[in-house]
Amino acid sequence: MKILVVSGCLGAGKTTFIQELLRRSGKDVVIYENEYGEADIDARRLRSDSDLQVWESVENCICCSGKQDFASSVLTISNTLDPEYLIVEPTGVARLGNVLDNLSQVEWERISQLAPVVVVDALSWVQQRQHAQQIFDDQIMHAATVIVSKLGATSDTDGIRKLVEQLNPQAEFVALLYKDIPDEWWSSLLLRGRTGTLETSDAYNAVSPEFETMALEHVELPSPAHLIWLLDALSAGVFGKLARAKGTINCGNQKLRFDLVERSWAITGIEDNQEETRCVFIGEELLRSGLRETFVPALWREHAELRHEHHHEHKD
């Protein structure tokens, strides 16, 4: 079983990247999804696209507090499912270096690591690095390939290119629309053995910023206009310092999916009206009562929140 780790900050587009990789390569894979918090939104997206087997870990981060469970799960997947490839998607606040070290503990002749990939958001990477520089830089420093996502006609990638050249000059840097990258490149990601990684300095052993998450079910708003107004409010910091928010929500007589990263957000329609309504909010100093009262009808508020408190800090 060969293991490919696809890392990146919250909302960088890791799940979209994995979907494209699977579409282009057509390989037999199992996905290990380390969602941050209690909402398995990305895992459900992956399942909805195909008959993929998706393992989920939502209680702990696989780079620190959940590393033993992670190692055990990898061995279980190898022994029971024995896929050709395992793709690991860590939570966006995980240190890639720690994830790779944890995998090294279970490597043997039937389990090996591939060269890790880091996905960087062309729109929000500056703010993400300002918010959690130690995590962001650790991911770049341990990547074999850095690929830029969410490119547009006016995207300027010189800044992230220079940073990659400074932190990890050996890394492959890719800044192309996915449709312009040939199939051979996507397939090569599943053929490259893990290369040596750069050593981190003592400065990067400091405690990382702590994030809080809030996951809600039974979310509902009167109309799409209300959702637009609330996304503007979320991005402006009305409900706390949000790094990421995403979910599926009833808006009047239709169901919509939203995704917010820092100050950018998007709304898409949903064809499958049976999809569960669920949202997750990730950040600091969240206004929990305000989020609950705004997004959940009074009838459901007592049972809406999946978990009352969930904080994340790295423990080496």
Side-chain angles (χ1 to χ4, degrees), residues 45-192:
R45 277 183 59 195
L46 287 167
R47 286 197 189 94
S48 67
D49 282 354
S50 65
D51 295 326
L52 282 173
Q53 297 197 62
V54 182
W55 284 56
E56 302 163 55
S57 171
V58 297
E59 291 292 338
N60 298 292
C61 173
I62 60 175
C63 91
C64 51
S65 56
K67 60 184 180 182
Q68 294 303 323
D69 289 340
F70 174 46
S72 297
S73 295
V74 170
L75 289 173
T76 300
I77 292 170
S78 175
N79 293 331
T80 59
L81 301 177
D82 193 25
E84 185 177 2
Y85 299 99
L86 172 65
I87 297 179
V88 175
E89 181 184 345
T91 173
V93 293
R95 292 177 183 270
L96 176 57
N98 286 0
V99 174
L100 299 177
D101 288 344
N102 294 343
L103 284 172
S104 297
Q105 300 176 34
V106 296
E107 280 190 282
W108 61 300
E109 62 181 13
R110 291 188 62 242
I111 298 177
S112 61
Q113 293 188 53
L114 297 171
V117 176
V118 168
V119 182
V120 176
D121 185 342
L123 301 176
S124 303
W125 76 269
V126 174
Q127 298 94 318
Q128 291 172 341
R129 186 169 187 250
Q130 289 174 345
H131 190 70
Q133 181 176 340
Q134 295 170 12
I135 296 172
F136 188 97
D137 287 2
D138 177 88
Q139 293 179 356
I140 298 297
M141 294 167 75
H142 289 89
T145 296
V146 176
I147 184 164
V148 183
S149 66
K150 304 181 184 178
L151 289 169
T154 60
S155 296
D156 183 0
T157 60
D158 287 344
I160 184 60
R161 181 189 296 273
K162 291 177 181 177
L163 180 64
V164 172
E165 290 175 349
Q166 174 189 343
L167 296 177
N168 187 357
Q170 300 164 326
E172 176 190 25
F173 182 81
V174 180
L176 295 170
L177 295 174
Y178 290 172
K179 67 181 180 65
D180 295 330
I181 304 175
D183 292 346
E184 292 77 14
W185 182 87
W186 294 95
S187 296
S188 73
L189 296 177
L190 301 175
L191 299 174
R192 304 175 190 174

Side-chain angles (χ1 to χ4, degrees), residues 275-295:
E275 184 171 331
E276 296 179 24
T277 57
R278 184 179 299 186
C279 301
V280 63
F281 305 91
I282 303 169
E284 299 176 86
E285 302 174 12
L286 298 184
L287 183 60
R288 305 176 74 87
S289 59
L291 288 168
R292 190 184 303 109
E293 291 174 8
T294 302
F295 282 88

